[in-house]
Amino acid sequence: MNFEEKIKKLSEYIDKSNNIVFFGGAGVSTESGIPDFRSAGGLYNEQGKKYNAPPEVMLSRTYFFAHTKEFYEFYKSKMLYLDAKPNNAHKVLAKLEEKGKLKAVITQNIDNLHQQAGSKNVIELHGNVTRNFCIKCHKKFDLAYIAEAVGVPCCDGCGGIVKPDVVLYEEQLNQDCVNSAIEYMLNADMLIVGGTSLSVYPAAYYVRYFFSDNKNNKEDKKSVIINKSETDFDYKFDIAIHEDRIGNVLSRISI
């Protein structure tokens, strides 16, 4: 199928489905000006430009507690995009949820753009930059508090260090989010994957539940992956669309 035929088929799948789950990665937000991680211009390829440690180290729990000042220098310059706005991908998904077709957005992103676009049921596997808390007294702080802080953000109540409510390397995912993501995957009649190569776990771990035996007849389930490059999982999907602008694809479907 050519591109136009795939768009038409995607629209047909959505029209016939009433229990859609979207699983998204960093590629969903690149149209909003947030770089991804592993592409040529992505975050993980900047490790030697300014910092002595790779991002996987600087965004780890150990580094946060051992080098908090350096952590925040990196985090605030590379992970916070205060001016980013939802793009067409976020907006279309919110519309699909409003119509009752999309039941959940499962995201690896921490940028809060799905919620800004209007999505209500967003399962955040890696947390959210808009939420922050004091590690000592657990007082909550918004994103502005972190962005405006000079040096290490500290609690204005007890003086404790404020930590972003995001999952750092070496930290466990929230088990409630994990269980919820698996449940939605098992019961979905359609899966749309966007902006992720599924090359890193736990991404591939969750998607496999959709393709496993469950309550739905396998022949009745439909699956689409939208990613700028081919993935090792393309063969599992009914349609694989190679496009770096997820919003460009989703904005062309009939809702």
Side-chain angles (χ1 to χ4, degrees), residues 25-202:
V28 176
S29 295
T30 53
E31 289 174 82
S32 296
I34 301 177
D36 61 13
F37 292 90
R38 292 177 172 80
S39 69
L43 176 66
Y44 284 13
N45 286 302
E46 295 189 2
Q47 54 185 316
K49 294 183 179 179
K50 180 179 179 181
Y51 302 96
N52 293 325
E56 296 95 325
V57 172
M58 299 195 73
L59 295 174
S60 69
R61 181 178 179 84
T62 296
Y63 198 90
F64 174 82
F65 285 103
H67 307 281
T68 312
K69 181 177 180 293
E70 291 79 4
F71 169 89
Y72 266 112
E73 288 177 355
F74 182 80
Y75 178 80
K76 290 170 72 171
S77 66
K78 299 298 182 183
M79 304 301 290
L80 299 185
Y81 292 85
L82 304 180
D83 297 326
K85 302 297 181 185
N87 61 53
N88 285 334
H90 302 105
K91 294 174 183 178
V92 171
L93 292 170
K95 287 182 180 179
L96 287 173
E97 182 186 44
E98 183 180 354
K99 285 183 168 290
K101 286 187 167 292
L102 182 68
K103 302 306 181 184
V105 168
I106 304 171
T107 181
Q108 301 175 84
N109 297 338
I110 59 175
D111 51 41
N112 199 53
L113 293 183
H114 284 294
Q115 291 89 333
Q116 287 186 39
S119 290
K120 306 298 183 185
N121 191 22
V122 181
I123 300 171
E124 301 167 326
L125 295 177
H126 297 154
N128 190 312
V129 296
T130 66
R131 299 190 302 266
N132 306 273
F133 64 94
C134 172
I135 63 175
K136 186 176 180 181
C137 73
H138 304 291
K139 182 177 179 179
K140 297 179 180 179
F141 296 90
D142 61 15
L143 179 57
Y145 192 86
I146 301 298
E148 295 168 5
V150 177
V152 177
C154 292
C155 178
D156 57 7
C158 73
I161 295 173
V162 176
K163 180 182 181 297
D165 188 10
V166 299
V167 179
L168 302 178
Y169 286 95
E170 304 171 346
E171 293 184 333
Q172 297 293 318
L173 301 186
N174 180 284
Q175 194 58 48
D176 288 338
C177 289
V178 170
N179 293 340
S180 184
I182 291 173
E183 186 68 18
Y184 278 110
M185 284 288 187
L186 285 172
N187 290 288
D189 64 9
M190 180 176 181
L191 171 64
I192 303 175
V193 171
T196 174
S197 64
L198 299 177
S199 61
V200 178
Y201 279 81

